[in-house]
Amino acid sequence: MITLQIDTARGWRGGQNQVLLTARGLRARGHRVVVMAHPEGELRRRVEGEFEVLALAPRGEVDLKAAWRLAGALRALEPDIVHAHDPHGVAVAAAALPISGLARRPPLVAARRVDFHLKANSFSRWKYRQVDAFLTSSDAIRAMLVEDGIAPERVTTVYEGVDVDRIAAIDPIDLHGEYWFPAQAPIIGNVAALVAHKGQRYLLDAAAIVVREVPHARFLILGEGELRQELEHRLRHLKLDQHVLLAGFHTDVLARLKAFDIFVMSSVTEGLGTSLLDAMAAARPIVATRAGGIPEVVEDGVSGLLVPPADGPALAAALLALLADQPRRRRMGEAGLARARQRFSADRMVSETVAAYERVLASRSHAADSASLPRGG
């Protein structure tokens, strides 16, 4: 099978890592994989030399020049499946496929990893009508697509995956030494882009409560984004300069995550949360919100504690409960690791993706056979 994996993002977040894991898993199963990525993006940098790469960056939802370029690439490649992993990728593929001139149009599969409703404008409706199958990263997202009018049979939940063995082999970084944290300070860590739906403003509210009870606790937020300046201002306003560090984007984030005492996710909305999977694979106890697909990942009271979204005091109470109980933290970390191995492995994710490809191809073949049958009595 030949697949074209499309992701147009310039940065690196959980979605781009899933593209990389999908590509590697497909190749390991004998498939030919071509990756379309932003020419200046982190995904292209990581796949260059490992996969065939098409460098293309659509400028917005409607980019006819990019569509023509992709149409030419489709004619040359003749893929069996086009898998678009982000909305701009879906748009450029939807525009390119009809003008590619291929005698056999490959199915368009769209990944959906965010729990946002589909846009209701006419272009968005047209774009998503071109999609043959949706792969959602949680049942919460699947339900949202069905609510938005997508036929249930076109939507399959495929939970995202992590390479558990690779994470287990990574050595943790000495964060106390790097950041000059007090020797015995517990580290509460968050890995997420600094954007509104990740809810770090509520995490800062929680931190202000926690450090009153545990003054030597330290909070480390790994990620970059548009809200950095606003969060820095709020941090100073809450007098958390000595307790909370906005440490920015790091390529060695997994080694840093493995040094956390507690992983916290403060999202207001969340499709699934791949950093949660990383934390579980790293055997870290979790405090998270009940937003979106998070309850499908974290078993409340088993691998972590779940609280309502946008509730700083509730976050603080859960964090304080775990800070006071090291044996419970250890048990939760072990339970999370076991759950990651059982339900969220990259191998399982790729197997279910391939099964979804095969179903949509079989459906396309059946429809073609039915259309070719003679009509009449």
Side-chain angles (χ1 to χ4, degrees), residues 15-27:
Q16 289 67 56
N17 190 51
Q18 293 302 301
V19 178
L20 181 57
L21 289 173
T22 300
R24 286 175 173 167
L26 290 171
R27 182 186 58 193

Side-chain angles (χ1 to χ4, degrees), residues 36-278:
M36 177 187 138
H38 193 291
E40 299 174 4
E42 183 67 16
L43 178 61
R44 181 188 178 181
R45 188 187 71 79
R46 298 195 189 200
V47 301
E48 200 83 65
E50 185 176 353
F51 295 96
E52 300 173 65
V53 177
L54 171 64
L56 191 63
R59 292 177 292 184
E61 286 272 63
V62 183
D63 187 336
L64 296 180
K65 183 177 179 181
W68 277 109
R69 282 193 60 200
L70 178 55
L74 290 169
R75 285 193 296 272
L77 180 61
E78 296 186 347
D80 297 290
I81 292 285
V82 176
H83 189 167
H85 292 264
D86 68 316
H88 283 184
V90 175
V92 72
L97 282 165
I99 61 175
S100 65
L102 290 170
R104 180 188 56 81
R105 177 189 178 276
L108 174 57
V109 175
R112 189 73 178 174
R113 297 189 171 94
V114 294
D115 61 340
F116 306 148
H117 283 285
L118 300 178
K119 294 179 180 178
N121 62 63
S122 58
F123 179 79
S124 181
R125 290 195 298 270
W126 172 85
K127 174 178 72 174
Y128 289 114
R129 281 200 300 270
Q130 313 313 307
V131 174
D132 296 278
F134 292 85
L135 301 186
T136 62
S137 62
S138 67
D139 285 335
I141 300 174
R142 183 182 188 277
M144 187 168 282
L145 287 182
V146 172
E147 183 183 340
D148 287 342
I150 304 298
E153 61 270 17
R154 293 172 61 199
V155 191
T156 301
T157 297
V158 175
Y159 288 125
E160 296 179 335
V162 287
D163 188 337
V164 179
D165 291 334
R166 185 178 76 86
I167 293 174
I170 294 174
D171 292 326
I173 285 177
D174 176 14
L175 296 179
H176 291 85
E178 179 171 342
Y179 296 116
W180 296 85
F181 291 158
Q184 302 303 315
I187 300 174
I188 300 162
N190 170 256
V191 179
L194 307 183
V195 292
H197 75 270
K198 294 297 184 180
Q200 283 102 348
R201 60 167 295 178
Y202 304 105
L203 179 54
L204 294 185
D205 292 343
I209 297 170
V210 168
V211 300
R212 287 201 292 267
E213 300 290 330
V214 187
H216 62 299
R218 294 296 184 267
F219 288 75
L220 189 64
I221 299 175
L222 301 178
E224 201 52 80
E226 62 197 40
L227 293 187
R228 167 173 279 277
Q229 191 171 16
E230 179 180 322
L231 291 171
E232 287 175 341
H233 176 76
R234 188 170 184 84
L235 187 156
R236 290 191 295 269
H237 174 73
L238 293 170
K239 297 180 171 57
L240 292 171
D241 309 63
Q242 301 301 313
H243 294 89
V244 179
L245 179 62
L246 301 179
F249 175 80
H250 289 270
T251 57
D252 59 353
V253 65
L254 292 173
R256 294 169 185 273
L257 185 154
K258 289 191 76 171
F260 295 168
D261 292 284
I262 300 173
F263 181 87
V264 59
M265 178 170 275
S266 52
S267 300
V268 178
T269 64
E270 190 67 55
L272 185 76
T274 53
S275 60
L276 286 172
L277 306 183
D278 292 334

